[in-house]
Amino acid sequence: MSYALHYHRGIPGRGEFVRLLFVHAGTPFHDLPALPAQDAAQHFAPPLLRYTSAADAPPDFAAEVELSQTPVILYFLASRLGLAPSDEAGRLAVQQRVETILDLANEVHDVHHPVDASLYYEDQRDVSLRRAPYLLQLRVPKFLSTFAAQVSASGNGWLHSSGVSAADLVLFHLLEGLAYAFPRYFGTLKKEARFAPLFELQSRLRETESIQRYLKSEARTPFNEYDLFRHYPELDAEYTGKV
Amino acid sequence: MSYALHYHRGIPGRGEFVRLLFVHAGTPFHDLPALPAQDAAQHFAPPLLRYTSAADAPPDFAAEVELSQTPVILYFLASRLGLAPSDEAGRLAVQQRVETILDLANEVHDVHHPVDASLYYEDQRDVSLRRAPYLLQLRVPKFLSTFAAQVSASGNGWLHSSGVSAADLVLFHLLEGLAYAFPRYFGTLKKEARFAPLFELQSRLRETESIQRYLKSEARTPFNEYDLFRHYPELDAEYTGKV
């Protein structure tokens, strides 16, 4: 059995959502650079996962897979790494949570690139300054309210009643990213009792031995200003709920 | 067996990607209004699919499902409606294409809402005018090049070697949406030989009896300026490949 993750060097990016699944499951994988575009003409953008199964894989599991699209890679891995329920309805419910969290991650990215990803932040900062209050005061709280309702409904402190899943690890990285990008904001958000179950989920995962060891290791690329989550102090603000 | 799709009235929106799967498969479904938010606290946003299986469903298929997130609904339906390969690697390859096309649909939406979805277009038109050239001259062609490479590789005129799939129907609606929103642009794009396989795919689906009947029926909500795809003439431009 072999897993190879191809992703850009130097940024956690979307590859990090995938890495955290491997880390939490204790499953080794090859962490490799992104492929030149001509080698991946079938795929739109990294990450790319290449997988070869073990001889004893279940018969309905594919033997070889080459996959791109972060949510699809996460769906594929969650089943294999024990991070999804074994029943179809449960697997899809977890995936629905994964996709929604990734949607919010995209919105967090777009706040520093509201005109186009090919332009420097500095060349669209005026629009970022207009957009950031909507992200921080309306969008993030709207998403987090849904996630908090899901944690309440599960009754076990995780996003789904089956226990810790891929969705929790994706949410963990999103919350870590928000804390890095918007420290003032995150500090005030933590005072909101209605979101407390989410910050408890985050702490619980950060204190997991495997995650803690990973976060302190050289295998982990620190957040930085080439990434999805960027710390631009001028975009940060206290949470007030008002734009 | 019963399928109910809950979605906003009056716009094709993301519900239309789901409807086209039912239409192409000839599978009846209940087309219902979106639910009040308090009835869907577990879900972030419409569409929402409610499904109850037939007594003779395969044993590994869930009996009852309530799902949101367009890509997850499409993945669920593709398997059931004969619009995905029967093997896991093929199903995931189709889903990877679906997710990438939906990413582009999101970018097409964001061009008229580059600051926030809660604001009127008129209040962010200045930013839309800055963003539209990047969408039309860089982003759409970059995505379409990938889709064209996939059609070439399949060898059968569809996005995947297994034949017509959910991905083709999602691409169909995206191309219809682009033609509606940006008629000048679409006219010049159609002269690009490298994208011809995509426009042929679009025509072939439009001429399918079931799709043609649906497009002419009252069941189909026309494109309009409350939707993902909007025709604002000031954002339209010829394709030149230069911003």
Side-chain angles (χ1 to χ4, degrees), chain B residues 121-141:
Chain B
Y121 164 68
E122 288 70 19
D123 294 331
Q124 50 197 317
R125 182 164 49 189
D126 56 328
V127 185
S128 292
L129 286 163
R130 272 170 71 182
R131 181 164 171 152
Y134 292 94
L135 177 75
L136 300 184
Q137 309 303 340
L138 300 183
R139 300 297 291 170
V140 171

Side-chain angles (χ1 to χ4, degrees), chain A residues 42 62 68-69 71 76 80 88 92 96-97 99-100 103 114-115 119 123 126 130-131 134 149-150 153, chain B residues 42-43 62 68-69 71 76 80 88 92 96-97 99-100 103 114-115 119 123 126 130-131 134 149-150 153:
Chain A
Q42 290 280 307
S68 58
Q69 268 289 353
F76 174 81
R80 277 165 182 71
E88 186 195 34
L92 293 169
Q96 176 209 302
R97 289 154 175 67
E99 302 254 5
T100 310
D103 280 351
V115 177
L119 296 172
D123 295 330
D126 56 329
R130 272 170 72 181
R131 181 164 172 153
Y134 293 94
Q150 292 169 344
Chain B
Q42 290 280 307
H43 301 282
S68 57
Q69 268 289 354
F76 174 81
R80 278 164 182 71
E88 186 195 33
L92 293 169
Q96 176 209 300
R97 287 153 176 68
E99 302 255 5
T100 309
D103 279 351
V115 177
L119 297 172
D123 294 331
D126 56 328
R130 272 170 71 182
R131 181 164 171 152
Y134 292 94
Q150 292 169 345

Side-chain angles (χ1 to χ4, degrees), chain A residues 56-71:
Chain A
D56 62 348
D60 56 331
F61 272 24
E64 288 207 350
V65 174
E66 182 181 286
L67 272 186
S68 58
Q69 268 289 353
T70 311

Side-chain angles (χ1 to χ4, degrees), chain B residues 105-170:
Chain B
N106 284 341
E107 293 198 21
V108 176
H109 168 274
D110 290 354
V111 83
H112 53 72
H113 279 79
V115 177
D116 195 65
S118 69
L119 297 172
Y120 291 114
Y121 164 68
E122 288 70 19
D123 294 331
Q124 50 197 317
R125 182 164 49 189
D126 56 328
V127 185
S128 292
L129 286 163
R130 272 170 71 182
R131 181 164 171 152
Y134 292 94
L135 177 75
L136 300 184
Q137 309 303 340
L138 300 183
R139 300 297 291 170
V140 171
K142 188 178 171 189
F143 278 88
L144 295 193
S145 294
T146 302
F147 306 150
Q150 292 169 345
V151 172
S152 298
S154 80
N156 61 10
W158 304 110
L159 282 162
H160 190 262
S161 55
S162 58
V164 62
S165 73
D168 300 299
L169 290 155
V170 175

Side-chain angles (χ1 to χ4, degrees), chain B residues 15-16 23 31 44 51-52 74 76-77 107 109 115 130 143 159 196 205 216 219 222 234 236 239:
Chain B
E16 198 66 8
V23 167
D31 202 341
F44 186 74
Y51 166 79
T52 313
L74 294 171
F76 174 81
L77 288 178
E107 293 198 21
H109 168 274
V115 177
R130 272 170 71 182
F143 278 88
L159 282 162
L205 280 176
K216 289 178 187 162
E234 66 272 26
D236 197 5
Y239 172 65

Side-chain angles (χ1 to χ4, degrees), chain A residues 186-194 199:
Chain A
F186 204 75
T188 49
L189 210 62
K190 285 190 95 162
K191 294 178 191 153
E192 294 286 308
R194 64 196 165 120
F199 302 123

